[in-house]
Short mmCIF file of all heavy atoms in Angstrom, two decimals:
data_model
loop_
_atom_site.label_atom_id
_atom_site.label_comp_id
_atom_site.label_asym_id
_atom_site.label_seq_id
_atom_site.Cartn_x
_atom_site.Cartn_y
_atom_site.Cartn_z
N GLN A 135 187.91 -64.60 -5.84
CA GLN A 135 189.21 -65.24 -5.90
C GLN A 135 189.91 -65.18 -4.55
O GLN A 135 191.11 -64.98 -4.45
CB GLN A 135 190.09 -64.59 -6.97
CG GLN A 135 189.37 -64.04 -8.17
CD GLN A 135 188.38 -64.99 -8.79
OE1 GLN A 135 188.66 -66.18 -8.89
NE2 GLN A 135 187.23 -64.49 -9.19
N LYS A 136 189.15 -65.31 -3.47
CA LYS A 136 189.65 -65.16 -2.11
C LYS A 136 190.89 -66.01 -1.87
O LYS A 136 190.89 -67.20 -2.13
CB LYS A 136 188.55 -65.55 -1.12
CG LYS A 136 188.94 -65.42 0.32
CD LYS A 136 187.74 -65.81 1.20
CE LYS A 136 188.10 -65.75 2.68
NZ LYS A 136 186.97 -66.19 3.53
N GLN A 137 191.94 -65.38 -1.40
CA GLN A 137 193.19 -66.09 -1.10
C GLN A 137 193.20 -66.51 0.36
O GLN A 137 192.62 -65.86 1.22
CB GLN A 137 194.40 -65.17 -1.36
CG GLN A 137 194.50 -64.68 -2.79
CD GLN A 137 194.91 -65.79 -3.73
OE1 GLN A 137 195.84 -66.52 -3.44
NE2 GLN A 137 194.22 -65.91 -4.83
N LEU A 138 193.89 -67.59 0.64
CA LEU A 138 194.04 -68.05 2.02
C LEU A 138 195.37 -67.54 2.55
O LEU A 138 196.42 -67.79 1.97
CB LEU A 138 194.02 -69.58 2.08
CG LEU A 138 192.74 -70.23 1.53
CD1 LEU A 138 192.89 -71.74 1.60
CD2 LEU A 138 191.52 -69.77 2.27
N ASN A 139 195.33 -66.79 3.64
CA ASN A 139 196.54 -66.16 4.16
C ASN A 139 197.03 -66.80 5.46
O ASN A 139 197.90 -66.27 6.13
CB ASN A 139 196.28 -64.67 4.39
CG ASN A 139 196.00 -63.96 3.08
OD1 ASN A 139 196.68 -64.20 2.10
ND2 ASN A 139 194.99 -63.11 3.06
N THR A 140 196.48 -67.92 5.83
CA THR A 140 196.87 -68.55 7.08
C THR A 140 198.19 -69.30 6.91
O THR A 140 198.59 -69.64 5.80
CB THR A 140 195.79 -69.54 7.54
OG1 THR A 140 195.53 -70.46 6.48
CG2 THR A 140 194.50 -68.82 7.88
N ALA A 141 198.85 -69.56 8.01
CA ALA A 141 200.09 -70.34 7.96
C ALA A 141 199.78 -71.76 7.51
O ALA A 141 198.67 -72.25 7.66
CB ALA A 141 200.72 -70.37 9.35
N ASP A 142 200.80 -72.44 6.94
CA ASP A 142 200.59 -73.77 6.38
C ASP A 142 199.94 -74.73 7.37
O ASP A 142 199.09 -75.53 7.00
CB ASP A 142 201.93 -74.36 5.91
CG ASP A 142 202.27 -73.93 4.49
OD1 ASP A 142 201.44 -73.22 3.89
OD2 ASP A 142 203.35 -74.28 4.03
N HIS A 143 200.35 -74.67 8.64
CA HIS A 143 199.84 -75.66 9.59
C HIS A 143 198.37 -75.45 9.91
O HIS A 143 197.72 -76.32 10.47
CB HIS A 143 200.66 -75.65 10.89
CG HIS A 143 200.57 -74.37 11.66
ND1 HIS A 143 201.41 -73.30 11.39
CD2 HIS A 143 199.75 -73.97 12.65
CE1 HIS A 143 201.10 -72.30 12.21
NE2 HIS A 143 200.09 -72.68 12.98
N ASN A 144 197.78 -74.30 9.53
CA ASN A 144 196.36 -74.06 9.73
C ASN A 144 195.55 -74.24 8.45
O ASN A 144 194.33 -74.21 8.49
CB ASN A 144 196.12 -72.64 10.26
CG ASN A 144 196.55 -72.50 11.71
OD1 ASN A 144 196.45 -73.45 12.47
ND2 ASN A 144 197.04 -71.34 12.08
N LYS A 145 196.22 -74.40 7.33
CA LYS A 145 195.52 -74.53 6.06
C LYS A 145 194.96 -75.95 5.90
O LYS A 145 195.63 -76.92 6.26
CB LYS A 145 196.46 -74.24 4.89
CG LYS A 145 196.90 -72.81 4.77
CD LYS A 145 197.86 -72.67 3.60
CE LYS A 145 198.37 -71.23 3.49
NZ LYS A 145 199.36 -71.11 2.41
N PRO A 146 193.76 -76.06 5.34
CA PRO A 146 193.29 -77.39 4.97
C PRO A 146 194.21 -77.97 3.88
O PRO A 146 194.87 -77.21 3.16
CB PRO A 146 191.88 -77.13 4.42
CG PRO A 146 191.51 -75.78 4.90
CD PRO A 146 192.78 -75.00 5.03
N TYR A 147 194.22 -79.27 3.77
CA TYR A 147 195.01 -79.88 2.71
C TYR A 147 194.45 -81.24 2.33
O TYR A 147 193.62 -81.81 3.05
CB TYR A 147 196.49 -79.99 3.10
CG TYR A 147 196.79 -80.82 4.34
CD1 TYR A 147 197.12 -82.18 4.24
CD2 TYR A 147 196.78 -80.24 5.60
CE1 TYR A 147 197.42 -82.92 5.37
CE2 TYR A 147 197.07 -80.98 6.73
CZ TYR A 147 197.39 -82.31 6.61
OH TYR A 147 197.68 -83.05 7.75
N ILE A 148 194.89 -81.72 1.20
CA ILE A 148 194.51 -83.05 0.71
C ILE A 148 195.74 -83.93 0.71
O ILE A 148 196.79 -83.54 0.20
CB ILE A 148 193.93 -82.97 -0.71
CG1 ILE A 148 192.57 -82.27 -0.72
CG2 ILE A 148 193.82 -84.36 -1.33
CD1 ILE A 148 191.43 -83.10 -0.17
N ILE A 149 195.61 -85.11 1.30
CA ILE A 149 196.67 -86.11 1.22
C ILE A 149 196.39 -86.96 -0.02
O ILE A 149 195.35 -87.60 -0.11
CB ILE A 149 196.71 -87.00 2.47
CG1 ILE A 149 196.86 -86.13 3.72
CG2 ILE A 149 197.82 -88.03 2.38
CD1 ILE A 149 196.62 -86.87 5.02
N VAL A 150 197.31 -86.94 -0.97
CA VAL A 150 197.08 -87.55 -2.28
C VAL A 150 197.76 -88.91 -2.34
O VAL A 150 199.00 -89.00 -2.37
CB VAL A 150 197.59 -86.64 -3.41
CG1 VAL A 150 197.27 -87.25 -4.77
CG2 VAL A 150 196.97 -85.25 -3.29
N ASN A 151 196.96 -89.96 -2.31
CA ASN A 151 197.45 -91.33 -2.45
C ASN A 151 198.57 -91.66 -1.47
O ASN A 151 199.46 -92.48 -1.76
CB ASN A 151 197.93 -91.60 -3.88
CG ASN A 151 196.77 -91.81 -4.83
OD1 ASN A 151 195.75 -92.38 -4.45
ND2 ASN A 151 196.90 -91.35 -6.05
N GLY A 152 198.57 -90.99 -0.30
CA GLY A 152 199.58 -91.26 0.71
C GLY A 152 200.97 -90.80 0.36
O GLY A 152 201.94 -91.09 1.05
N ARG A 153 201.11 -90.02 -0.75
CA ARG A 153 202.44 -89.63 -1.24
C ARG A 153 202.82 -88.22 -0.83
O ARG A 153 203.98 -87.96 -0.50
CB ARG A 153 202.48 -89.75 -2.77
CG ARG A 153 202.28 -91.16 -3.29
CD ARG A 153 202.72 -91.24 -4.75
NE ARG A 153 202.23 -92.45 -5.36
CZ ARG A 153 201.27 -92.50 -6.28
NH1 ARG A 153 200.70 -91.37 -6.68
NH2 ARG A 153 200.88 -93.63 -6.79
N TYR A 154 201.87 -87.28 -0.90
CA TYR A 154 202.21 -85.89 -0.59
C TYR A 154 200.95 -85.15 -0.14
O TYR A 154 199.82 -85.61 -0.34
CB TYR A 154 202.83 -85.18 -1.80
CG TYR A 154 201.88 -84.96 -2.96
CD1 TYR A 154 201.18 -83.75 -3.09
CD2 TYR A 154 201.67 -85.94 -3.93
CE1 TYR A 154 200.30 -83.54 -4.16
CE2 TYR A 154 200.81 -85.74 -4.99
CZ TYR A 154 200.12 -84.54 -5.09
OH TYR A 154 199.26 -84.34 -6.15
N ASN A 155 201.17 -83.99 0.49
CA ASN A 155 200.08 -83.14 0.95
C ASN A 155 199.94 -81.94 0.02
O ASN A 155 200.92 -81.25 -0.25
CB ASN A 155 200.31 -82.64 2.37
CG ASN A 155 200.39 -83.78 3.38
OD1 ASN A 155 199.91 -84.88 3.12
ND2 ASN A 155 201.00 -83.52 4.51
N HIS A 156 198.73 -81.70 -0.45
CA HIS A 156 198.47 -80.51 -1.26
C HIS A 156 197.73 -79.49 -0.39
O HIS A 156 196.55 -79.66 -0.08
CB HIS A 156 197.62 -80.86 -2.49
CG HIS A 156 197.33 -79.65 -3.35
ND1 HIS A 156 198.14 -79.28 -4.39
CD2 HIS A 156 196.33 -78.73 -3.29
CE1 HIS A 156 197.65 -78.19 -4.95
NE2 HIS A 156 196.55 -77.82 -4.30
N PHE A 157 198.44 -78.42 0.02
CA PHE A 157 197.83 -77.40 0.87
C PHE A 157 196.97 -76.46 0.02
O PHE A 157 197.30 -76.15 -1.12
CB PHE A 157 198.91 -76.60 1.60
CG PHE A 157 199.53 -77.36 2.74
CD1 PHE A 157 200.67 -78.13 2.53
CD2 PHE A 157 198.99 -77.32 4.00
CE1 PHE A 157 201.25 -78.84 3.56
CE2 PHE A 157 199.56 -78.02 5.05
CZ PHE A 157 200.69 -78.78 4.84
N PHE A 158 195.87 -76.01 0.60
CA PHE A 158 194.93 -75.13 -0.10
C PHE A 158 195.47 -73.70 -0.07
O PHE A 158 195.55 -73.09 0.99
CB PHE A 158 193.56 -75.17 0.55
CG PHE A 158 192.82 -76.48 0.36
CD1 PHE A 158 193.45 -77.60 -0.13
CD2 PHE A 158 191.47 -76.58 0.70
CE1 PHE A 158 192.78 -78.80 -0.30
CE2 PHE A 158 190.79 -77.77 0.54
CZ PHE A 158 191.43 -78.88 0.04
N GLU A 159 195.82 -73.17 -1.23
CA GLU A 159 196.30 -71.80 -1.34
C GLU A 159 195.21 -70.84 -1.80
O GLU A 159 195.28 -69.64 -1.58
CB GLU A 159 197.48 -71.73 -2.31
CG GLU A 159 198.67 -72.59 -1.92
CD GLU A 159 199.38 -72.10 -0.67
OE1 GLU A 159 199.15 -70.93 -0.28
OE2 GLU A 159 200.14 -72.87 -0.08
N ASN A 160 194.20 -71.37 -2.48
CA ASN A 160 193.13 -70.54 -3.04
C ASN A 160 191.78 -71.13 -2.67
O ASN A 160 191.69 -72.22 -2.09
CB ASN A 160 193.27 -70.46 -4.57
CG ASN A 160 194.58 -69.85 -4.98
OD1 ASN A 160 194.87 -68.70 -4.65
ND2 ASN A 160 195.40 -70.61 -5.70
N SER A 161 190.72 -70.41 -3.04
CA SER A 161 189.38 -70.85 -2.70
C SER A 161 188.82 -71.85 -3.71
O SER A 161 187.70 -72.30 -3.57
CB SER A 161 188.43 -69.64 -2.61
OG SER A 161 188.41 -68.93 -3.84
N LEU A 162 189.61 -72.19 -4.73
CA LEU A 162 189.23 -73.20 -5.70
C LEU A 162 190.39 -74.15 -5.93
O LEU A 162 191.50 -73.72 -6.21
CB LEU A 162 188.82 -72.54 -7.03
CG LEU A 162 188.68 -73.49 -8.24
CD1 LEU A 162 187.50 -74.43 -8.04
CD2 LEU A 162 188.53 -72.70 -9.52
N ILE A 163 190.12 -75.45 -5.80
CA ILE A 163 191.12 -76.49 -6.07
C ILE A 163 190.52 -77.42 -7.11
O ILE A 163 189.43 -77.97 -6.90
CB ILE A 163 191.50 -77.27 -4.80
CG1 ILE A 163 192.24 -76.37 -3.81
CG2 ILE A 163 192.40 -78.46 -5.14
CD1 ILE A 163 191.34 -75.61 -2.88
N THR A 164 191.21 -77.58 -8.22
CA THR A 164 190.72 -78.45 -9.29
C THR A 164 191.47 -79.78 -9.26
O THR A 164 192.66 -79.84 -8.97
CB THR A 164 190.87 -77.79 -10.66
OG1 THR A 164 192.27 -77.47 -10.88
CG2 THR A 164 190.06 -76.50 -10.73
N ILE A 165 190.74 -80.84 -9.61
CA ILE A 165 191.29 -82.20 -9.57
C ILE A 165 190.98 -82.89 -10.89
O ILE A 165 189.84 -82.83 -11.37
CB ILE A 165 190.67 -83.02 -8.42
CG1 ILE A 165 190.86 -82.30 -7.08
CG2 ILE A 165 191.28 -84.42 -8.36
CD1 ILE A 165 190.06 -82.91 -5.94
N GLY A 166 191.99 -83.53 -11.48
CA GLY A 166 191.73 -84.25 -12.72
C GLY A 166 193.01 -84.69 -13.40
O GLY A 166 194.11 -84.54 -12.86
N ARG A 167 192.84 -85.22 -14.60
CA ARG A 167 193.98 -85.75 -15.35
C ARG A 167 194.74 -84.67 -16.11
O ARG A 167 195.92 -84.81 -16.38
CB ARG A 167 193.46 -86.82 -16.33
CG ARG A 167 194.54 -87.71 -16.93
CD ARG A 167 193.95 -88.80 -17.79
NE ARG A 167 193.53 -88.33 -19.10
CZ ARG A 167 192.27 -88.25 -19.51
NH1 ARG A 167 191.29 -88.63 -18.71
NH2 ARG A 167 191.98 -87.80 -20.72
N HIS A 168 194.07 -83.58 -16.45
CA HIS A 168 194.68 -82.52 -17.25
C HIS A 168 195.78 -81.81 -16.45
O HIS A 168 195.66 -81.62 -15.24
CB HIS A 168 193.63 -81.50 -17.68
CG HIS A 168 194.08 -80.61 -18.79
ND1 HIS A 168 194.90 -79.53 -18.60
CD2 HIS A 168 193.82 -80.65 -20.13
CE1 HIS A 168 195.13 -78.93 -19.75
NE2 HIS A 168 194.49 -79.58 -20.69
#
Side-chain angles (χ1 to χ4, degrees):
Q135 328 312 319
K136 181 179 178 183
Q137 300 289 313
L138 301 178
N139 295 317
T140 55
D142 274 358
H143 64 274
N144 287 327
K145 291 178 183 177
Y147 60 94
I148 290 286
I149 304 168
V150 183
N151 283 325
R153 297 195 195 109
Y154 68 94
N155 298 340
H156 180 90
F157 285 91
F158 290 11
E159 301 292 344
N160 300 299
S161 59
L162 167 67
I163 293 87
T164 58
I165 305 169
R167 195 175 77 248
H168 196 281

